[in-house]
Amino acid sequence: DTEVTQTPKHLVMGMTNKKSLKCEQHMGHRAMYWYKQKAKKPPELMFVYSYEKLSINESVPSRFSPECPNSSLLNLHLHALQPEDSALYLCASSQVYDSTGELFFGEGSRLTVL
Amino acid sequence: AQKVTQAQTEISVVEKEDVTLDCVYETRDTTYYLFWYKQPPSGELVFLIRRNSFDEQNEISGRYSWNFQKSTSSFNFTITASQVVDSAVYFCALRSHGNTGKLIFGQGTTLQVKP
């Protein structure tokens, strides 16, 4: 079983909806990540939080809004999405944000935008 | 520039065959870390191995083995006696010391193991 839990597993939303993806880890990790993965492609980094502070935003459109309420939780708020935003959204965590450690991924939230 | 190339898009083997997944990387950093991840149909990326640039020892874990060769910038992954449960997408990835941790993925290799 994965130690990074993502909810919901599947989400269908219209372009005017507001929804949120949630991610939780209880490994004591202090770095958390959001990745976007399109079919048959590798994951693409969106955001990195380190010690609950946003460290990296990979020029993600503002219709995606991340939030890190505490060291165990990571949210991704979605608003006014486009059909091309349909993808698998993966959350990951690592002990700290540096180059050495492995990332632990959740199973992802599969998002469909109609 | 940092880059990871997995030239094999798809591989199909019959159960019990050995299979090698190729990975070639590019980086100018002297300190870096290489990873392999497995992504089964469930979606989760499962960490398999991490190798740092100073450790060229090959590693074996059960049916899995990895061959790291700095001279050819390659980090290949071999599955011995493949099983149907090995069917997945496998990603090779690179993190450089000077890149503050961004994980650079290859395009992935889809492995299908047929019974």
Side-chain angles (χ1 to χ4, degrees):
Chain A
D1 285 343
T2 179
E3 295 185 73
V4 177
T5 305
Q6 291 187 243
T7 56
K9 288 197 176 354
H10 299 275
L11 178 63
V12 180
M13 61 186 290
M15 289 190 284
T16 58
N17 292 157
K18 282 186 183 180
K19 297 285 185 184
S20 297
L21 306 181
K22 297 185 185 301
C23 174
E24 191 168 4
Q25 58 88 12
H26 293 289
M27 295 180 281
H29 289 175
R30 302 314 299 270
M32 296 186 77
Y33 309 73
W34 279 114
Y35 281 83
K36 173 183 177 180
Q37 187 179 25
K38 301 285 271 184
K40 298 192 181 296
K41 294 290 186 184
E44 297 174 8
L45 182 64
M46 299 175 73
F47 303 104
V48 180
Y49 273 83
S50 177
Y51 291 90
E52 294 105 74
K53 287 193 166 67
L54 184 63
S55 290
I56 290 189
N57 176 343
E58 289 283 300
S59 301
V60 179
S62 59
R63 58 185 183 268
F64 294 91
S65 175
E67 178 196 21
C68 190
N70 60 56
S71 60
S72 301
L73 292 174
L74 185 66
N75 297 322
L76 186 63
H77 302 299
L78 314 171
H79 174 54
L81 294 194
Q82 304 296 311
E84 59 264 29
D85 296 322
S86 298
L88 181 67
Y89 288 85
L90 291 160
C91 174
S93 70
S94 62
Q95 282 193 325
V96 290
Y97 179 52
D98 65 13
S99 58
T100 64
E102 60 269 30
L103 273 61
F104 293 85
F105 286 83
E107 288 188 348
S109 293
R110 194 165 296 279
L111 173 66
T112 302
V113 182
L114 300 176
Chain B
Q2 315 213 7
K3 189 178 176 183
V4 176
T5 301
Q6 295 179 254
Q8 303 148 309
T9 306
E10 293 184 16
I11 301 176
S12 182
V13 299
V14 176
E15 213 170 15
K16 297 185 184 173
E17 283 185 20
D18 298 348
V19 58
T20 295
L21 309 182
D22 298 332
C23 173
V24 174
Y25 63 92
E26 295 175 32
T27 180
R28 292 182 181 174
D29 293 323
T30 54
T31 303
Y32 53 89
Y33 302 84
L34 295 163
F35 302 81
W36 275 95
Y37 283 88
K38 173 183 179 181
Q39 188 174 35
S42 61
E44 171 195 1
L45 273 87
V46 178
F47 165 76
L48 296 178
I49 189 171
R50 177 187 64 193
R51 235 16 199 182
N52 74 52
S53 52
F54 298 110
D55 184 0
E56 283 194 75
Q57 274 195 329
N58 291 331
E59 178 142 346
I60 298 174
S61 176
R63 297 184 296 107
Y64 295 171
S65 62
W66 291 269
N67 183 351
F68 175 29
Q69 292 199 338
K70 282 180 80 169
S71 60
T72 55
S73 297
S74 65
F75 186 42
N76 296 338
F77 173 31
T78 297
I79 302 175
T80 303
S82 59
Q83 299 176 2
V84 173
V85 293
D86 295 327
S87 297
V89 181
Y90 290 86
F91 290 100
C92 180
L94 165 71
R95 280 182 111 174
S96 281
H97 194 64
N99 198 30
T100 59
K102 184 172 178 178
L103 198 58
I104 309 296
F105 285 96
Q107 290 299 304
T109 297
T110 300
L111 174 65
Q112 184 181 32
V113 181
K114 298 177 182 174

